[in-house]
Amino acid sequence: MSQTVSRALRLLAELGEGDRSLDQLAEVLGVHKTTALRLLQSLEEDRFVYRDSAFRYHLGAGLFALSSLALEQRPIRRVAAPHLAELNAATGQTVHLAAMEAGEVVYVDKYDSRHAVRMYSRIGLRAGLHNTAVAKVLLADLPLAARRRVARSISYVPSTPRTLTDAQALLAELETVAEQGWAQDRAEHETFINCVAAPVRDASGRVAAAVSLSVPDVVLPYEQVLELLPQLLATTRAISEDAGFRTPHS
């Protein structure tokens, strides 16, 4: 990747965290302000960034248009949308749709809960491979050799006291997920959030995505989150059928 492209992407990633001044962006790149300004002016021309009246930079409408096109190119998102909305309305809880992308698990859709407590997750954000239910569902569908390879590649940084901290523990859990057909995140990523997730299969029978329900423990204890599992599994079965998957008896 050329240095110019790399720097431009770093600017966009930084602005994804919030508005920044020219000085701040130049510091992030480790370059003089004139170099950062030239990059920003090029990005402004294509509306990837814009500068407000206080001379602070933000992500621009051109980038939002691209992100919308990227999401539209995921057919599973279109298929899943009405089912996810229905699950969200029925439970009142946060619903995520996640998929694999270049070896990473990415959130491709999200329906927020009706409760005041909000999750950090957002569309486009990567999910932890060792501490999220959606990632466990997607990794559990991989062939065993691929599972082992991914498990060995992870840096097991603990997010909470419950986070899995080694490859052996993750592989054992992935085996359980593959057998039972769903995964859990019991305060492994955020101390106050419990999640359950289940697979969406495509016409080939492979797992194309994962759907999760995420619930703050102040809303429901973990045991009651598990009571939502039948609704989640009914939702993923319906999405899978609409995506072309057929169970052996259907």
Side-chain angles (χ1 to χ4, degrees):
M1 184 184 300
S2 73
Q3 187 178 59
T4 300
V5 173
S6 177
R7 285 174 172 172
L9 292 175
R10 286 179 63 192
L11 287 176
L12 293 175
E14 182 67 19
L15 291 174
E17 299 298 322
D19 60 279
R20 298 287 190 269
S21 68
L22 175 60
D23 286 344
Q24 289 172 318
L25 293 172
E27 184 177 352
V28 166
L29 295 182
V31 299
H32 193 273
K33 285 192 295 185
T34 56
T35 301
L37 182 60
R38 282 196 298 270
L39 283 169
L40 288 163
Q41 288 172 335
S42 296
L43 292 169
E44 277 187 284
E45 289 176 7
D46 291 313
R47 299 188 305 128
F48 291 144
V49 304
Y50 78 91
R51 187 178 59 173
D52 64 22
S53 58
F55 299 98
R56 295 184 70 82
Y57 289 88
H58 307 254
L59 293 179
L63 194 63
F64 299 148
L66 273 182
S67 67
S68 296
L69 290 171
L71 289 172
E72 287 174 9
Q73 291 174 16
R74 290 183 176 275
I76 197 64
R77 184 175 184 266
R78 293 196 300 272
V79 171
H83 300 284
L84 301 180
E86 184 178 347
L87 181 64
N88 173 251
T91 64
Q93 309 303 336
T94 301
V95 176
H96 291 106
L97 180 70
M100 291 287 290
E101 182 179 289
E104 297 178 324
V105 175
V106 180
Y107 294 112
V108 296
D109 212 347
K110 179 184 180 183
Y111 291 73
D112 279 312
S113 78
R114 55 174 170 250
H115 304 291
V117 181
R118 300 292 185 181
M119 293 188 63
Y120 171 71
S121 60
R122 64 177 184 270
I123 296 172
L125 191 70
R126 291 190 295 266
L129 293 178
H130 64 300
N131 59 5
T132 61
V134 288
K136 293 174 188 176
V137 164
L138 292 161
L139 294 179
D141 188 57
L142 297 176
L144 182 57
R147 280 190 220 169
R148 289 172 174 164
R149 185 166 59 252
V150 172
R152 288 195 298 266
S153 72
I154 294 172
S155 297
Y156 290 87
V157 178
S159 303
T160 78
R162 289 184 174 271
T163 305
L164 300 178
T165 56
D166 60 68
Q168 184 176 356
L170 177 60
L171 288 168
E173 181 141 353
L174 294 180
E175 186 65 30
T176 298
V177 172
E179 291 173 359
Q180 69 187 13
W182 59 276
Q184 65 177 357
D185 156 13
R186 189 174 183 180
E188 295 172 40
H189 183 247
E190 296 180 84
T191 55
F192 59 96
I193 299 286
N194 294 307
C195 304
V196 286
V200 171
R201 298 185 182 275
D202 59 20
S204 73
R206 299 308 303 268
V207 174
V211 177
S212 71
L213 281 168
S214 303
V215 188
D217 55 15
V218 296
V219 174
L220 290 176
Y222 173 71
E223 292 72 20
Q224 287 181 264
V225 175
L226 291 182
E227 293 176 8
L228 300 174
L229 191 56
Q231 289 173 273
L232 173 64
L233 292 172
T235 297
T236 54
R237 282 195 299 269
I239 299 170
S240 298
E241 288 174 4
D242 284 356
F245 176 67
R246 294 293 178 266
T247 55
H249 62 271
S250 62

